[in-house]
Amino acid sequence: MPEEIKRESVTKIDIEKLALNKDFGRLTFKESLPFLRKTQALFKELDELNYQNNLSQEEISAIDIKKDQFIKQLTQLQQFDIGQADSQTVHDNLEQQFINFYNSTLKGLMTQLVYLRQEIALQSKDERNLQEEQKAATKARKQSEEILEQLKKELNSIRKETKEVAGASGERAAVTLGKHFESQAGEYSSKANNWLTQRSTFFKWLLIIIGVNFILYLFLFITNKLGVRPNIAPSEFFTPQYGVVKLALLALLSYAIGFAGKNYNINSNLEAVNKHRKNVAETLSDFLKTKPEANDRSQLVKSAAEAMFRNSPSGYGSKQESKDDGPIHEIVNNIISSKKE
């Protein structure tokens, strides 16, 4: 059975435990809990201010009546049963009742509360101490104003120096970035040229093999028709086994051409990107040398960062990643696909 709530214990009872009782299920009193806490705190402060010895009997009786009403409300909260008929309506009515009670109690007891607070303040400090404290406060305020004025001057000086240092640092950072991106662009340019050379070499070998086989076929065809030496039919030389070997070699060269071409495009794209970033960094450095305002400098740096790292088309990258197989592999695949159809 719940413990009976009395005047002596009303300011000590655990309001949160009552309002958020797990037995209430979803019908806890979460909404009115802050108002119940405030009401309890109000009566606790009145007790601490010793209202029973500092107010008239009429005012004491009014506070006691309000305290008894609060005890009654806490008892209703304590006895709330989720299993009762129309529990939702009872719950909502209680919540509103708790909120309204706090508002009316605060309004009704505000005069007594203010009076008690003033009485305690006067009792704790005599007039002489108040005067001394006022003098000390006036002196401290004057000193604070002088110190504040000095700090303002020093702050303005620091801001000016910080702005100059920030501008110089920004210029150095932009120059450093420009040199870094220039170095990267040169590295990627060298790699791109190497891949371009390799692609050209593979392409030349591919053309040589195709050309030699074409010339050899014409030579055998013509000598066979004319009946002169070596008088070998093209079909005798260009056997299926020979064709498979040649086709494999051509496919390998074709793959090498495709692979070299792809890496050339990648490195050329990276070279173009880093050149773009270098140009942006150098432009930013030129702007910072003009010593713009702090807001303008911030906007410049932000815009430069976006321009540096935005994915801009360079002409070397494509929307779809190309394969490394090369032209011969694609031709073979098309022939096989057409035969299946």
Side-chain angles (χ1 to χ4, degrees):
M1 185 174 181
E3 181 182 354
E4 182 181 359
I5 303 174
K6 299 180 180 180
R7 285 185 183 179
E8 296 78 15
S9 62
V10 69
T11 58
K12 301 176 183 178
I13 192 168
D14 190 344
I15 295 290
E16 183 173 349
K17 184 177 180 181
L18 281 179
L20 302 181
N21 192 337
K22 294 181 180 180
D23 293 338
F24 295 163
R26 62 181 183 82
L27 296 180
T28 57
F29 293 82
K30 186 176 181 180
E31 182 179 350
S32 59
L33 175 58
F35 296 93
L36 291 169
R37 285 174 175 165
K38 291 178 182 179
T39 306
Q40 185 186 45
L42 179 61
F43 288 119
K44 184 177 181 180
E45 184 178 4
L46 287 170
D47 287 344
E48 292 173 349
L49 294 174
N50 196 14
Y51 76 94
Q52 293 181 342
N53 296 321
N54 291 310
L55 296 177
S56 66
Q57 188 59 45
E58 183 180 354
E59 291 173 322
I60 295 172
S61 298
I63 293 174
D64 288 340
I65 291 172
K66 286 290 187 181
K67 187 179 288 189
D68 290 338
Q69 291 176 351
F70 185 53
I71 292 173
K72 183 178 179 181
Q73 288 186 344
L74 293 181
T75 302
Q76 289 178 310
L77 175 61
Q78 195 178 47
Q79 296 175 351
F80 177 73
D81 183 8
I82 193 175
Q84 63 184 310
D86 203 7
S87 58
Q88 179 69 57
T89 303
V90 175
H91 167 272
D92 295 344
N93 290 338
L94 284 175
E95 287 246 84
Q96 191 60 47
Q97 179 182 333
F98 298 155
I99 296 172
N100 294 338
F101 180 74
Y102 167 74
N103 293 328
S104 63
T105 302
L106 180 63
K107 183 178 180 182
L109 302 181
M110 180 57 69
T111 303
Q112 294 88 334
L113 189 61
V114 172
Y115 170 76
L116 290 171
R117 288 172 178 171
Q118 292 175 345
E119 283 295 309
I120 293 298
L122 291 174
Q123 291 173 11
S124 63
K125 296 179 181 179
D126 57 22
E127 188 64 27
R128 184 177 178 181
N129 289 336
L130 286 174
Q131 290 178 356
E132 290 177 356
E133 289 179 3
Q134 287 176 352
K135 290 180 181 179
T138 302
K139 183 179 179 180
R141 184 172 65 252
K142 185 177 180 180
Q143 292 176 345
S144 298
E145 290 174 353
E146 293 175 355
I147 294 173
L148 181 61
E149 187 65 26
Q150 183 179 357
L151 288 174
K152 285 182 178 178
K153 293 179 181 179
E154 292 178 357
L155 181 61
N156 289 332
S157 176
I158 292 172
R159 284 176 175 172
K160 184 178 179 180
E161 293 176 0
T162 302
K163 180 180 178 181
E164 294 175 356
V165 172
S169 299
E171 292 175 22
R172 288 196 296 270
V175 171
T176 302
L177 281 174
K179 291 181 178 179
H180 173 71
F181 290 136
E182 184 177 13
S183 174
Q184 289 293 307
E187 181 179 344
Y188 288 124
S189 176
S190 177
K191 290 181 179 180
N193 290 332
N194 289 337
W195 283 111
L196 181 62
T197 301
Q198 292 185 38
R199 186 179 68 173
S200 300
T201 301
F202 291 139
F203 187 75
K204 288 177 182 178
W205 276 106
L206 181 65
L207 289 179
I208 290 172
I209 292 174
I210 294 175
V212 168
N213 279 272
F214 179 75
I215 293 171
L216 182 59
Y217 180 87
L218 286 179
F219 174 76
L220 294 177
F221 179 82
I222 293 172
T223 55
N224 181 256
K225 289 295 183 182
L226 296 177
V228 296
R229 296 182 64 183
N231 196 15
I232 299 174
S235 58
E236 295 177 3
F237 185 86
F238 292 99
T239 62
Q241 293 81 359
Y242 178 88
V244 169
V245 172
K246 285 296 181 181
L247 186 60
L249 180 59
L250 293 177
L252 180 61
L253 286 173
S254 178
Y255 175 86
I257 292 171
F259 185 79
K262 179 182 178 181
N263 281 277
Y264 166 75
N265 285 334
I266 291 173
N267 285 277
S268 296
N269 179 68
L270 292 173
E271 177 191 0
V273 168
N274 279 277
K275 283 184 177 179
H276 166 71
R277 291 173 176 173
K278 166 184 169 291
N279 294 334
V280 173
E282 291 177 349
T283 303
L284 175 61
S285 176
D286 293 336
F287 273 117
L288 292 177
K289 288 179 181 178
T290 62
K291 301 189 183 305
E293 294 296 327
N295 291 335
D296 295 336
R297 184 171 62 250
S298 177
Q299 289 296 324
L300 282 172
V301 173
K302 181 180 179 181
S303 300
E306 292 177 353
M308 282 183 190
F309 301 105
R310 185 188 302 117
N311 290 327
S312 302
S314 63
Y316 292 99
S318 59
K319 293 183 179 179
Q320 261 188 336
E321 191 69 24
S322 59
K323 295 183 178 180
D324 300 332
D325 299 325
I328 298 298
H329 187 276
E330 185 176 353
I331 293 172
V332 172
N333 281 342
N334 290 336
I335 293 173
I336 293 174
S337 299
S338 63
K339 286 185 176 181
K340 287 183 179 180
E341 294 175 358

